Amino acid sequence: MEQNFDLLAQSRANYYTKGSPVQFVRVELLKGDVTGEVAVCLTFKNISQEVLSDLVINFKCKNAAGEVVCEAPYHYESLNVNQGELFGQDDAVYVASGSVGSVDVELKSAEFASGESLSLEQFKRVRLPVPKALPPELARRLKQKVGSEADLKVAPQMTEYGWYCACGAFHPIEENCVWCSECGSDRILMQNALSTLLQQGHTTEEPTRMVTSIKDESPTRVVTDLTEQDRAAITGRVEEDDGDMRIAQPGRRTTATLPPEGFYGEEDEAEELPEDPDELAKKIIRWAPPITVVVCAIIALVGYLWVKLFVK
């Protein structure tokens, strides 16, 4: 019996595996339109420069009550995945007749086209800082400015261990890239665009650097001033992700609450990261201009006195 599967829920990883050439990206739950069965699909990304051929993981699914309903290994074979490419999203690792509340994923081993095999159990999880949510209006203006077709939700930002794209994708420092492998956005262009919106309050459309095809240009539009609420919203943090899945349904959006351990396992499996280092950069940007003016004035005064006192 053939049936189609529709997206029921999805959630991104709130940690990354430091040093690993393969990263767990997100989990999706798909619901069959005939039987109502729920298929669990996991998405991974190869961030190494070598072609990935095989990946072995171990996953554990729990129901809404926190009871383990399935725990098993899974082998992704004959992949031929290049650097930056996603895979696994089309493979159901588990099909359940009931609801799935949480999924925990462990990376076990990887094999590359060169024949090299690598144990991934030596790499430890690192808890990521919670991305800063963009207010809807600011997200709309940013999307308009850079010409992106992706759903922009978070402020593009650098962290100690990598960078967040505005689409929500995290790129670890080991990936060594400036282009988002999920939406095609240029990190520098995206950050500069957001900085312009925040600092100047208004802007006009500019050419877009995107990996994907650029849509037809539209007439230049003026963006109105940002409100104080917009500015305050992206300087604060959203609540820490507890693993809740965003449910995608036509015409509405709801949230399914998951067990306390979160969508990706126990909290003690991930090392806590330090607070966002962007504050120091903001202070430097704020105080550099007035300090420069003062220093220049002092130099000019000293030069004037030198001429008056010693030059005949």
Side-chain angles (χ1 to χ4, degrees):
M1 177 178 58
E2 294 185 359
Q3 63 176 326
N4 296 319
F5 284 83
D6 299 318
L7 180 64
L8 177 65
Q10 66 177 355
S11 185
R12 289 186 177 274
N14 55 5
Y15 70 87
Y16 95 103
T17 308
K18 184 178 180 181
S20 174
V22 181
Q23 296 293 326
F24 175 42
V25 176
R26 64 175 177 265
V27 61
E28 294 176 319
L29 302 183
L30 307 177
K31 186 175 183 179
D33 58 1
V34 177
T35 65
E37 294 178 321
V38 176
V40 178
C41 295
L42 309 173
T43 301
F44 301 87
K45 179 165 61 173
N46 176 25
I47 66 170
S48 71
Q49 296 182 355
E50 298 188 53
V51 177
L52 180 68
S53 57
D54 291 77
L55 174 69
V56 177
I57 66 163
N58 192 79
F59 70 93
K60 182 189 300 182
C61 295
K62 298 180 182 180
N63 58 24
E67 302 169 334
V68 177
V69 294
C70 178
E71 181 175 6
Y74 192 85
H75 188 185
Y76 296 90
E77 301 179 89
S78 304
L79 295 173
N80 194 34
V81 175
N82 295 307
Q83 182 180 23
E85 292 183 349
L86 302 175
F87 65 95
Q89 62 270 31
D90 296 326
D91 298 320
V93 299
Y94 175 62
V95 177
S97 57
S99 63
V100 176
S102 65
V103 179
D104 180 52
V105 177
E106 297 178 354
L107 303 176
K108 290 297 184 180
S109 64
E111 185 174 335
F112 300 90
S114 62
E116 177 188 3
S117 296
L118 180 66
S119 172
L120 303 181
E121 296 182 88
Q122 60 184 305
F123 303 110
K124 303 300 180 183
R125 297 178 180 179
V126 176
R127 181 70 59 183
L128 294 173
V130 181
K132 301 173 182 178
L134 283 175
E137 178 61 18
L138 182 56
R140 183 189 67 79
R141 296 174 187 176
L142 179 61
K143 182 174 180 177
Q144 170 187 311
K145 182 170 177 61
V146 301
S148 174
E149 296 183 359
D151 187 10
L152 307 184
K153 298 179 180 179
V154 305
Q157 65 181 106
M158 291 293 300
T159 73
E160 182 180 355
Y161 291 94
W163 59 280
Y164 277 107
C165 178
C167 72
F170 178 76
H171 299 272
I173 194 171
E174 293 91 341
E175 192 172 357
N176 191 28
C177 66
V178 296
W179 297 93
C180 178
S181 55
E182 295 193 34
C183 72
S185 297
D186 181 334
R187 173 179 64 83
I188 298 175
L189 173 65
M190 191 73 73
Q191 287 180 313
N192 289 344
L194 179 60
S195 178
T196 299
L197 289 173
L198 291 175
Q199 294 179 10
Q200 297 183 357
H202 65 276
T203 187
T204 55
E205 294 281 359
E206 296 178 356
T208 304
R209 292 170 54 198
M210 302 289 291
V211 171
T212 54
S213 59
I214 302 176
K215 61 183 180 180
D216 294 338
E217 293 184 356
S218 56
T220 300
R221 291 168 288 180
V222 176
V223 181
T224 56
D225 290 345
L226 299 175
T227 65
E228 290 301 321
Q229 290 83 352
D230 288 341
R231 298 176 187 275
I234 74 162
T235 56
R237 291 184 178 276
V238 295
E239 294 182 1
E240 184 172 355
D241 183 6
D242 61 358
D244 286 359
M245 300 180 297
R246 290 186 291 273
I247 304 300
Q249 294 183 356
R252 62 173 182 163
R253 299 181 68 179
T254 59
T255 300
T257 303
L258 301 179
E261 69 270 21
F263 209 81
Y264 306 105
E266 303 297 333
E267 291 292 331
D268 57 6
E269 294 183 1
E271 172 189 349
E272 291 291 340
L273 293 186
E275 288 297 320
D276 185 1
D278 290 345
E279 290 302 322
L280 177 59
K282 293 177 182 178
K283 292 180 180 178
I284 293 175
I285 294 174
R286 182 185 307 164
W287 292 106
I291 292 175
T292 303
V293 172
V294 172
V295 171
C296 291
I298 293 174
I299 294 174
L301 178 60
V302 171
Y304 174 78
L305 294 177
W306 176 269
V307 171
K308 286 292 185 180
L309 296 177
F310 300 103
V311 179
K312 295 182 180 181

